[in-house]
Amino acid sequence: MAQLSVRHLLGIKNLNETDIHTILDTAAQFKEVINRPIKKVPSLRDITIANVFFENSTRTRLSFELAEKRLSADVVNFSASGSSVTKGETLLDTVNNILAMKVDMIVMRHSSPGAAHYLSTRIPANVVNAGDGTHEHPTQALLDAFSMREKLGDLRGKKIAIIGDILHSRVALSNIFCLQKLGAEVMVCGPTTLIPKYLPELGVKVGHDVKAALRWCDVANVLRIQLERQQIKYFPSLREYSLYFGIDKAMLDELDREIVLMHPGPINRGVELSSDAADSAHSIILNQVENGVAVRMAVLFLLAQQ
């Protein structure tokens, strides 16, 4: 059976194209499993996995927990609020205490970029990065690529527009790395203040006209405005952002071809997407959520073989 070239999933940057295809092909098999009447397989029956979340999460945490339980792993959940972290315990001490209870794998979300990498060099367990600050969110990029591939087939030569708050998004960077490794063309679109200046160096097109981006792309992956990460004002108001960069169904209907609409969630309805666009036939947002379980099952299963 195909194996990954890495012991940890820290970011898409650390994967090669073969790794990505291995994960997506394995996820396709697990998607069949989770759509059967009996959704469980005993693949990780002897493995204990700790979900260590230092930031709030709904979809990612539930998705990982469900993936682990579908694989028959034993699951331990940890959240920073109400833990010894509030008493001053360090990240490494917290995780080492969890590992002392004989945990085999750590799934971690942390607000600091590089936290998962730091941990992977200091503990023997496999580490899966469930998002580290504004750096990377590899499983989101993989499930996005899986959803696109399911809808469009081979992504080589396909045009993907990532629209919204690129500056504060870990999803954007992981998507760029993943899509480029799969041969897709990538454009980012948003206000000048929310697009990092280094992006053209990654071989990414940069635009500021949403309608032009929608005409160009096969897939529009729309990101929310991350107000919780913004220390200063990057635009006058949410209303003005919505007027210039929001997408509604009328804009999608004006296009001369049908495009695919995606969003990693949570959606701020009426800001980056109107309700009629988010719930339209263009949207595969709920498919992304379903595919997230299959992709995370594939990641956990493949890392457990290492």
Side-chain angles (χ1 to χ4, degrees):
M1 197 192 81
Q3 284 199 323
L4 299 181
S5 64
V6 293
R7 274 197 71 241
H8 312 281
L9 181 61
L10 306 177
I12 300 296
K13 195 172 184 179
N14 306 105
L15 301 180
N16 56 43
E17 187 184 347
T18 305
D19 289 331
I20 294 171
H21 282 298
T22 299
I23 292 168
L24 300 187
D25 292 343
T26 308
Q29 296 173 45
F30 280 127
K31 185 165 183 184
E32 290 177 23
V33 170
I34 61 175
N35 281 294
R36 296 190 316 213
I38 298 171
K39 300 173 173 63
K40 234 174 177 181
V41 287
S43 307
L44 299 186
R45 193 170 49 198
D46 300 324
I47 302 290
T48 304
I49 303 174
N51 298 316
V52 182
F53 278 64
F54 291 88
E55 277 191 319
N56 295 334
S57 172
T58 303
R59 268 156 304 279
T60 304
R61 184 169 185 161
L62 286 175
S63 185
F64 266 113
E65 187 173 348
L66 201 52
E68 291 150 9
K69 288 179 175 175
R70 295 280 187 256
L71 292 166
S72 304
D74 294 319
V75 181
V76 180
N77 286 312
F78 166 94
S79 66
S81 59
S83 75
S84 294
V85 171
T86 58
K87 302 174 186 176
E89 188 172 60
T90 66
L91 166 63
L92 192 56
D93 283 341
T94 298
V95 173
N96 276 329
N97 275 280
I98 293 169
L99 290 179
M101 301 174 203
K102 307 306 176 196
V103 168
D104 304 293
M105 195 179 294
I106 299 286
V107 174
M108 185 174 77
R109 169 167 288 187
H110 202 281
S111 58
S112 299
H117 181 270
Y118 167 81
L119 204 59
S120 70
T121 61
R122 287 163 174 81
I123 64 170
N126 302 96
V127 177
V128 179
N129 180 7
D132 57 337
T134 57
H135 180 224
E136 278 220 51
H137 191 352
T139 55
Q140 181 67 47
L142 290 165
L143 75 89
D144 287 348
F146 182 85
S147 303
M148 290 178 210
R149 194 176 80 162
E150 204 172 46
K151 190 78 174 172
L152 303 175
D154 186 10
L155 295 184
R156 197 164 297 280
K158 295 293 189 292
K159 297 176 176 177
I160 318 297
I162 302 173
I163 301 168
D165 184 355
I166 312 298
L167 183 64
H168 300 97
S169 174
R170 50 186 164 223
V171 174
L173 192 58
S174 286
N175 260 274
I176 289 166
F177 288 144
C178 187
L179 292 166
Q180 287 182 332
K181 288 180 181 186
L182 294 174
E185 291 182 58
V186 183
M187 169 193 270
V188 296
C189 177
T192 308
T193 52
L194 291 178
I195 294 182
K197 291 182 170 54
Y198 65 80
L199 275 190
E201 296 170 26
L202 298 178
V204 174
K205 294 176 184 288
V206 176
H208 306 290
D209 181 341
V210 169
K211 289 188 176 181
L214 293 176
R215 286 193 298 271
W216 174 84
C217 72
D218 298 304
V219 178
N221 198 352
V222 186
L223 308 177
R224 73 182 175 89
I225 295 298
Q226 302 203 24
L227 293 173
E228 74 276 11
R229 297 189 192 280
Q230 296 181 12
Q231 306 301 318
I232 59 172
K233 291 200 77 143
Y234 289 87
F235 48 86
S237 67
L238 285 177
R239 182 172 176 275
E240 185 159 325
Y241 178 88
S242 181
L243 284 170
Y244 283 95
F245 295 98
I247 296 171
D248 59 29
K249 191 167 184 295
M251 292 166 68
L252 299 173
D253 291 340
E254 284 171 12
L255 303 173
D256 56 8
R257 63 203 170 96
E258 189 168 313
I259 67 166
V260 177
L261 188 66
M262 301 175 69
H263 194 300
I267 304 170
N268 289 324
R269 289 174 182 261
V271 181
E272 69 268 12
L273 275 181
S274 67
S275 283
D276 57 0
D279 301 330
S280 70
H282 297 271
S283 167
I284 60 166
I285 294 169
L286 292 179
N287 297 69
Q288 289 173 262
V289 179
E290 180 188 354
N291 292 337
V293 177
V295 166
R296 289 174 176 123
M297 285 174 77
V299 167
L300 296 167
F301 174 75
L302 290 165
L303 286 178
Q305 313 309 309
Q306 298 294 83

